[in-house]
Amino acid sequence: GIRARAANRVRGAMGKGAQIDTGLDPPEQTWVGDVLSVAGRCWPLLLGNVVEWYEFSVYGFLAPQMRANFFPGDSVSTWLVFSLTFLMRPIGGLLLGQVADRLGRKTAVNISIAGMLFATVGQGLLPSYRSAGEAWGLAGMI
């Protein structure tokens, strides 16, 4: 693990045979430390993915209400909007992959989460078919 490598560097600087007390038994140095390190680095990615799939499940559950309020009598448009989210995933992955390469993973994840937030809020702010007509329901596809 990271602590073991750091201890080896210090030990090398102190001379042969030097012992360093890290406060952990050898199995804990390698296994628990590595798991905690990976969990700490992956937490933002996990959180973003959970939020995204939660949004997908809510949309799927509320599809009949979406059809009634935005696409009256047209289930195809309702599911077309839903399918656009799956089309945008690989395109977003390509674009955000370039951002991650140039600006870092943290920036790319933050842009991704902000994009999901704005899209969700934007959908929530769309007027319904009953209040603004059919054109605003189709604006949800954009």
Side-chain angles (χ1 to χ4, degrees), residues 50-64:
V50 166
V51 169
E52 186 175 13
W53 282 101
Y54 173 75
E55 181 184 7
F56 288 158
S57 65
V58 167
Y59 189 95
F61 181 73
L62 296 176

Side-chain angles (χ1 to χ4, degrees), residues 43-140:
W43 176 248
L45 299 173
L46 174 68
L47 183 62
N49 204 12
V50 166
V51 169
E52 186 175 13
W53 282 101
Y54 173 75
E55 181 184 7
F56 288 158
S57 65
V58 167
Y59 189 95
F61 181 73
L62 296 176
Q65 288 80 11
M66 297 287 255
R67 183 182 52 79
N69 288 310
F70 295 104
F71 312 103
D74 189 14
S75 293
V76 173
S77 294
T78 305
W79 292 107
L80 179 63
V81 171
F82 187 67
S83 68
L84 286 176
T85 60
F86 287 97
L87 176 68
M88 293 308 294
R89 284 178 64 111
I91 294 171
L94 289 171
L95 295 175
L96 289 174
Q98 294 298 317
V99 170
D101 289 344
R102 288 180 172 75
L103 303 174
R105 288 178 290 172
K106 184 176 182 179
T107 302
V109 170
N110 287 337
I111 290 171
S112 174
I113 291 172
M116 287 184 286
L117 173 73
F118 289 127
T120 302
V121 170
Q123 287 176 352
L125 294 176
L126 281 174
S128 70
Y129 173 79
R130 293 180 187 139
S131 67
E134 188 173 340
W136 280 105
L138 295 176

